[in-house]
Each structure stands twice: as C-alpha cells, then as structure tokens.
C-alpha cells in the first residue's frame, strides 16, 4: 500500500484551489458580462448581479490563497526542508516562480478593475490568468516556443474555464433571477457550453495525437485508472448538460435546474482535481 | 448550418473518446542522451559529463554528481546549463584515472516535476 504523502496531497489541493477559483473568477465575469443580461442588472437580474459580486470576492481570495499555498508547497517539493530559504530563488529564477508572480499580478489587476466597476477588462484579465495555466502543461516544458500543441492547450484551458467556471454563477442566475430572464440566460449559457465542449473535445484529440507515445493500458496502471475516472466524470457532466437541455425544451423552469447544476459543480470540481493529479503523475510509458 | 444538437452529440463522442487518450507522453524530464554514454568504455578520460533531457530543466534545482569506485566525488561541483538549449546540463570533471565511474543525476523540469537516475561509464587503461 503506497505511503501517505502529505506534501503531494497538499500540492494537489492547493493547485486545485488556485485553478478552480481562477476558473470561477473568469466564468463568473463571463456570465456577468455576456450571459446574465448586464442591461438588466437593476431589474430582472438584480439579485444574481449582487450574488456575482460576492462570488467574485470569494473566488479572488481563494485564488490568491491557492496560488500562495501552491507556491510554498511546490518550493518544498523542489528543495525539501528549505522552503523559506529557497522561496526567493523559486519566485525570481524559475519558470514556475515567474508564472506565479505574473498570476498574482493579474489577480491584483482584476481586483482593481472590479473596484473601478470595469467588468469587461476584468474578464479579459481573468481569461489571460486562466490561459496562463497552459504554461504549466507539456507544450511549454517540451520547449520549442509557440506551437500548435501550445495553442491547443491554451484553448483547452480557456474552454474548460468558461464552461466549468461559469457553473456557480449559473446556479445563482437560476435560483435568484426572475423566471423569464433566467430561462433566457440558461439558453445563452447552453450555446457557450456547447461551443466549449466542442473545443475541449477537439483540443483533447489533438493533444492525444501529439503527446501519446503509445496506446495506454487504461485499467492496468494507476495513471490509466485516473484517466478513466476523469473520462467517466466528464461523460456524466455532459449527460447532465444534455438532460438539462432536454428538460428546458420540455418546458421546465430554469429554477428547476438548480439541483442538477449543483451536482454539475461537484462533478466539475472532481474533474479539475483529477486533472491536477494526472498532471503530477508519470504516464505508463515513463514509469 | 449543422443543428446545435448534432454538434453537441459530436462533441460528446469526441470528448469522451479523446479524454482518456490525451496522455502527456513527455510529462517529466527524462534523460535522452549523455556524454559519455551510459555503459560506454572510453579510451581517454572525458573532461565533461553532458546530459540532455526530454524537457527544459531548472538548473538551480538540478544536480549531477560523478563518483569513482570508492565513492569519491570527481566532478568540480559546478553545474552549467546550456543557454541555447535549456534541456542540456553539464559538469566539469577533475582529471580522472582509468576506472569505473558512477553518474548520479537529479532533474527538475520547468513544469516542476522531479526525476532522477544513475548510469556508469568506464575509462580504460
């Protein structure tokens, strides 16, 4: 039985928190500026827009906390027993540290844009911060500058952030907006979500072709089993989205979708955690 | 125009199939090449040990140590990276007599994964 590795667990949790909270910042700003009819912010969408402000504050704080913890624990992983002494070196002289500083700078800029009531620039900054996640993935580490693979990883992360990160804000819309406005918002969200799913599927296929050296023995390795679990959760999330769409077409109210959107948020968090776990595991070809 | 429902079903199938297949084949810095090569028999002592990895690495969090058969360190301790190719690391050796040598390396890739390994080479009399 493998030994319990507190550092690995802490790294997974902090990275999931940092990425998940950043996705929620981006997704909430997308919903606030595109999906939830900003023109009705003082009318039928007044309640959701108040909720967005609280959600954004919480997500920004979560992202800052997650980035801080991730940086500290990653330093400990890179230089065991020397976290405090080596933190400046990690921050100032490694690719990882530069990305973390840039991310913290973007989070501060998002906070300033929100304080100045400029949600669209804040959304653009949040998109940039979310896209930075791709710089932790494989195309950058392989290290040949801009490439189709890097572009696909950026698109993959942005599509995931726009779909999964929007779910908490969507839950606010369906539970607090006036019924007609909520249904219209859910329909707009569906168009965005379907586009995101298409991008996720296409970019995942491209990455599989570019990166998978040889066929993966799915059930035979821990890596393969995590892949399978992630794919199963992804399929469940898609099935939930299809079911919601079907219910809307059959005349269900948007408010009735609250429970399944809550379930979707839990599934999205689990998918994100599994993605983080996978990114730290060597594939079977390397084991 | 393709109906959104068909697009969605296509995405569902594509995403579900591609999800588990999206395997990062280069997730860690693996040793791709070394000079001297692992297991090599050299007619003369090398001045450097040069390693090339599959990914770019963080030199400040990497280490190469070369020891002789008695465990004595025979490198000068100063790791050098190649600014033109951040996948390459090298270390200078002190003058070494014929014998068997062990190279032990630790690498941290720029995406923060750590790997390690060893190999031997021999300098002939």
């Amino acid at each position: 039985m493998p030994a319990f590795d507190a550092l690995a667990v802490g790294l997974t949790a902090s990275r999931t928190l940092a990425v998940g909270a950043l996705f929620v910042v981006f997704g909430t700003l997308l919903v606030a500026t595109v999906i939830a009819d900003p023109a009705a912010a003082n009318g039928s969408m007044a309640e959701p827009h108040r909720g967005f402000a609280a959600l954004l504050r919480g997500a920004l704080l979560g992202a800052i906390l997650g980035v801080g913890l991730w940086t500290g624990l990653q330093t400990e992983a890179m230089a065991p027993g020397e976290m405090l002494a080596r933190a400046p070196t990690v921050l100032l002289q490694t690719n990882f540290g530069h990305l973390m500083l840039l991310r913290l700078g973007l989070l501060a800029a998002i906070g300033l844009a929100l304080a100045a009531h400029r949600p669209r620039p804040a959304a653009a900054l949040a998109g940039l911060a979310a896209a930075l996640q791709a710089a932790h993935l494989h195309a950058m580490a392989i290290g040949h500058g801009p490439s189709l693979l890097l572009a696909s990883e950026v698109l993959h992360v942005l599509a995931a952030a726009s779909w999964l990160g929007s779910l908490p804000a969507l839950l606010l819309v369906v539970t607090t907006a006036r019924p007609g406005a909520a249904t219209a918002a859910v329909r707009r969200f569906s168009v965005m979500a379907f586009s995101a799913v298409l991008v996720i599927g296409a970019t995942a296929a491209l990455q599989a072709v570019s990166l998978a050296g040889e066929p993966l023995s799915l059930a035979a390795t821990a890596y393969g089993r995590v892949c399978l679990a992630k794919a199963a959760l992804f399929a469940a999330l898609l099935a939930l989205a299809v079911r919601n769409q079907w219910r809307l077409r059959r005349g269900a109210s948007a408010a009735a979708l609250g429970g399944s959107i809550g379930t979707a948020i839990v599934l999205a968090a689990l998918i994100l955690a599994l993605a983080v776990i996978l990114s730290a595991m060597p594939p079977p070809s390397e084991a | 125009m393709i109906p959104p429902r068909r697009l969605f079903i296509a995405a569902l199938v594509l995403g579900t199939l591609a999800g588990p297949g999206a395997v990062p084949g280069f997730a860690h810095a693996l040793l791709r090449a070394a000079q001297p090569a692992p297991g090599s028999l050299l007619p003369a002592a090398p001045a450097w040990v040069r390693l090339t990895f599959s990914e770019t690495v963080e030199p400040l969090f990497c280490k190469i140590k070369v020891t002789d058969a008695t465990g004595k360190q025979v490198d000068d301790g100063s790791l050098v990276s190649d600014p033109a190719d951040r996948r390459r690391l090298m270390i200078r050796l002190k003058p070494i007599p014929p014998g068997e040598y062990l190279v032990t390396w630790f690498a941290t890739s720029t995406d923060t994964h750590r790997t390690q390994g060893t190999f031997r080479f021999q300098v002939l009399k």
Side-chain angles (χ1 to χ4, degrees), chain B residues 76-98:
Chain B
D76 73 359
S78 53
L79 191 67
V80 180
S81 67
D82 181 350
D85 186 348
R86 292 187 59 201
R87 295 173 303 162
R88 289 190 185 149
L89 294 174
M90 49 197 175
I91 196 160
R92 187 190 290 274
L93 299 181
K94 298 169 185 169
I96 53 173

Side-chain angles (χ1 to χ4, degrees), chain A residues 149-215:
Chain A
L149 180 61
L150 179 60
S152 86
E153 287 183 348
V154 169
L155 283 175
H156 191 87
V157 168
L158 279 176
S162 59
W163 179 29
L164 306 182
S166 296
L167 290 171
L170 185 69
L171 183 60
L172 269 176
V173 169
V174 301
T175 52
T176 62
R178 289 179 197 161
T183 303
V186 170
R187 290 197 197 288
R188 282 192 290 273
F189 175 83
S190 296
V191 173
M192 184 187 77
F194 291 174
S195 311
V197 170
L198 275 177
V199 171
I200 289 170
T203 52
L206 180 67
Q207 286 161 38
V209 170
S210 303
L211 292 174
E214 50 195 61

Side-chain angles (χ1 to χ4, degrees), chain A:
Chain A
M1 188 176 165
F4 177 75
D5 186 342
L7 181 59
V9 172
L11 260 174
T12 301
S14 60
R15 190 169 171 175
T16 304
L17 173 64
V19 177
L22 195 51
F23 279 16
V24 172
V25 171
F26 178 55
T28 303
L29 284 165
L30 269 186
V31 172
T33 55
V34 180
I35 306 293
D37 193 4
N42 293 318
S44 58
M45 282 286 176
E47 277 299 316
H49 276 274
R50 273 194 284 277
F52 296 156
L55 189 56
L56 281 169
R57 279 195 297 274
L60 270 175
L61 282 176
I64 291 167
L65 178 68
V67 167
L69 287 171
W70 180 9
T71 305
L73 294 173
Q74 190 64 60
T75 304
E76 177 63 22
M78 291 165 78
E82 299 180 280
M83 184 169 69
L84 291 178
R86 299 300 296 275
T89 310
V90 168
L91 280 173
L92 300 175
Q93 297 186 53
T94 68
N95 187 58
F96 169 78
H98 297 162
L99 287 171
M100 288 305 185
L101 288 175
L102 185 53
R103 187 171 279 129
L104 283 173
L106 285 169
L107 287 170
I110 293 166
L112 289 173
L114 288 174
H117 302 289
R118 304 285 302 276
R120 285 180 189 274
L125 289 167
L128 188 57
L132 265 187
Q133 186 57 26
H136 292 285
L137 302 179
H138 307 297
M140 283 295 277
I142 294 169
H144 297 294
S147 63
L148 187 60
L149 180 61
L150 179 60
S152 86
E153 287 183 348
V154 169
L155 283 175
H156 191 87
V157 168
L158 279 176
S162 59
W163 179 29
L164 306 182
S166 296
L167 290 171
L170 185 69
L171 183 60
L172 269 176
V173 169
V174 301
T175 52
T176 62
R178 289 179 197 161
T183 303
V186 170
R187 290 197 197 288
R188 282 192 290 273
F189 175 83
S190 296
V191 173
M192 184 187 77
F194 291 174
S195 311
V197 170
L198 275 177
V199 171
I200 289 170
T203 52
L206 180 67
Q207 286 161 38
V209 170
S210 303
L211 292 174
E214 50 195 61
L216 179 63
S217 319
L218 283 176
T221 62
Y223 188 93
R225 286 191 286 274
V226 177
C227 277
L228 278 179
K230 183 171 168 249
L233 290 174
F234 185 67
L237 192 57
L238 285 171
L240 211 54
V242 171
R243 181 169 165 265
N244 284 346
Q245 192 67 9
W246 181 78
R247 286 173 69 191
L248 268 185
R249 282 175 194 273
R250 304 266 298 188
S253 71
L257 305 182
S260 67
I261 294 173
T263 307
I265 291 170
V266 174
L267 289 174
L270 290 172
I271 289 171
L272 196 59
L274 289 182
V276 167
I277 289 170
L278 272 181
S279 71
M281 290 175 84
S285 57
E286 294 182 5

